[in-house]
Amino acid sequence: MVSDRRPLLILAVLSLSAAVTAMTPIDDSGLADIRGQDGLTVNLESGGTIQAQQLNWITDRGNAPAGTCSGGVTDQHACTQLNGLILQGDGNPLSAQLQLDVGRDGGVPLLALQYDWQPSLFSLDGMTLQTGTNPAYAGHSLGQVALYSQGNLALVNQGIFSRNGQHANLDFSMTGDWIYRQGGAGSAEMSIGNLMIQNRFSNGPAGGHAPATGIIGIDSNGLLLEADHTYTALEFDLMYKAAPTNFDRTGRQPLIYGAWIGGLKDASVRVSAGGIGYGYDGTAPSGNWDYAGINTPRSEGLNIQAQWDFDTDFQLRLGHADGDRTRIEMGNWRRLGNGAGPMFAMDAIVDVLQNNTGPAGLCFGGGFTSGQPDSGLCTSAGGVFHPTRVAAGESAFAVLLRNGHLHAYSEQLTVTNPTSGWSDSYDWGVVLTLGKLDADILAYPQGPSGNVGLRTDATVMVQSPGFWDAANSADPLVRAAAADNWQTHSHFLFANTASDVAVGLLNNDLLWEARDLYLTLGDTDPVFPDLASGIMLRTDTLSHYQVRGLLGAGSLSDLGGTTANVALWDFNLFADQFRFVLYPATADGLATLGFEGYMNLDGNAYLSLAEVSSPQSAFRLSNVSGSIGWRNGNVVLKSGDQNSDGLPSLTIENELLLGQSADFGQSGGGTPLVGQVSFGDQQYGRIAMPGGTWHSEIIAKVPPP
């Protein structure tokens, strides 16, 4: 089965203004801008717009006629539709320059390509899908998108692509703004503003990230980008505007600044043809889904495999997106323990799924270190199976993550105030490692009350395979070995890296599950009219969070050895209503990140704290129902020169609303919190909290040396 790739070629042409304009007739004056004395230089300019009414990416067409969106492979044939594409100049005519040259490095012939584009605007009026299963989605849309950009791409290689040794030199740079809205001009807009993206092959931080070579090639397995060292930067401000004009960059309100900056080692990214595998290994329902199509056919789509180590100068940054722009910088990344393999790895599949077909779900627990077990195999191993298929009669965009991990953490925390110049570093870190990451994320072009918007079904699992079952075993020898694989497990810890001590939740498992979860912008929620408006996540179906592991402390160099154990912690929240909104706020004269939220627990929530040496001896608050809310939330980061004690601080403040006090104007208000209390197998009755408000202010500071 071969997909119709002509729309993809057209889209690629549209994204490069030079190539598009080159397809138009060139008069005598235009020919004057083409020079060939030293290679080939083409200067191109367009005073108008370049438009396409619709582009289709067609997958699994089978024997259906070209250009159709149904009649192909049953429950697989789909069209991903891009509507209303426009490319134009940003304040000036659309302008670009393309340079081509050839040369030789010793005995190696090389092609050099340099592409530069001036400020431009690419906009998309809508993105949707059309299938035989649900043809009505052809009239829907995920929303409208605009990308303002300017930048350059430089590539030197043995041709455009070559696997014949490390001869490729890559340097890409772009600045701009990405804007998303869920309606026409004037609708609320969310922005990835002040966007900066850079990526280049380099000789590493020791050499100042000077240009170096890697591989950019194509083989039977797809496109491969690989280099010993790269410099990668992604920097942006998350911004919001409630009443914009049309893809508006003025007067936006900042929410948070984020950045990923520095070197990567032994980086490899492979992009291959092929979506989800529909085959099955074993006898249903006690086998494994062949999701990667290793032994059975897979659909058309894309799969991406990425892995790398973090170099010595790599930083993850978070902070204020306005005012003093104070930020936290997490640096000095190192591997957890002495394990092998890349620090980070991830496999992703991008496809369209429909009509209750494909792999049936994900397994939480059971000790599986790889693969995708079906329900029978999962439950027989002690796991809990979570169905993730698209419903019958439905179709959805799908992003499926498999066997991901992050086995590294930051050893140094730096707080910087770029405005005042204050900066200080601390041998402290937040250890957030990911043992085994799997996720099924389904996206539907649909709003909560209309045909425009984003609805998702999501299941995300981060696990420490085998720990929880072993830690709860009746056999003390099995319990003693539960943390043997700690180097590849998940941990959430606060660490003094100078003394090698960390405290938090060791060897944890994390589950997040949501159904009919909508992303909305700027709307007043009709169910909760007193809730703040902004960037909101909302569901009236299911929002499920579970985190479990060993609450304790230990040495970062040996978290599987002697640890100070507090309890086996299992915290599980089930909600049939959930709201969480981010909005622009102010505190102490600073532009900050505001938040509010609400969740209604449905009676299945619980908290369990068990004795590590006797897991059956547990305090348990179970069958919890009722309302919880957060109002007037704020996140404030200050540098040391903004505090009287000279220490930087992170403050999270809000009003925690319990029971009937969790009232955001909904019918009947909040409901009392009620739960069952037990110790071991002894029930001690129910407790109730009719209502209450807790004014909370959590201030985190690194203690002075």
Side-chain angles (χ1 to χ4, degrees), residues 55-103:
L55 295 179
N56 284 338
W57 177 25
I58 303 175
T59 51
D60 294 293
R61 179 170 64 88
N63 296 319
T68 59
C69 299
S70 62
V73 180
T74 303
D75 295 331
Q76 294 179 212
H77 186 194
C79 288
T80 297
Q81 297 179 336
L82 306 178
N83 298 316
L85 300 93
I86 300 177
L87 181 63
Q88 58 189 306
D90 176 21
N92 295 289
L94 186 64
S95 178
Q97 182 182 80
L98 176 66
Q99 296 177 301
L100 295 172
D101 205 349
V102 293

Side-chain angles (χ1 to χ4, degrees), residues 431-497:
V431 179
L432 180 60
T433 61
L434 309 177
K436 182 180 185 293
L437 170 62
D438 299 282
D440 285 356
I441 301 171
L442 307 175
Y444 307 83
Q446 185 178 38
S449 59
N451 295 342
V452 179
L454 173 61
R455 173 170 67 93
T456 60
D457 293 335
T459 303
V460 180
M461 298 178 178
V462 180
Q463 303 188 64
S464 301
F467 173 81
W468 188 254
D469 292 339
N472 284 274
S473 172
D475 187 339
L477 295 179
V478 175
R479 293 199 303 269
D484 282 358
N485 295 319
W486 65 273
Q487 296 175 101
T488 57
H489 281 179
S490 304
H491 307 278
F492 177 53
L493 309 168
F494 297 95
N496 183 330
T497 55

Side-chain angles (χ1 to χ4, degrees), residues 54 79-84 124-131 134-144 180 182 393-395 397 443-455 518:
Q54 184 181 85
C79 288
T80 297
Q81 297 179 336
L82 306 178
N83 298 316
L124 186 65
D125 192 52
M127 176 177 174
T128 189
L129 55 86
Q130 184 176 357
T131 66
N134 191 350
Y137 276 158
H140 290 213
S141 172
L142 291 172
Q144 298 183 340
Y180 170 70
Q182 296 178 333
E394 271 281 18
S395 52
F397 297 108
Y444 307 83
Q446 185 178 38
S449 59
N451 295 342
V452 179
L454 173 61
R455 173 170 67 93
Y518 292 92

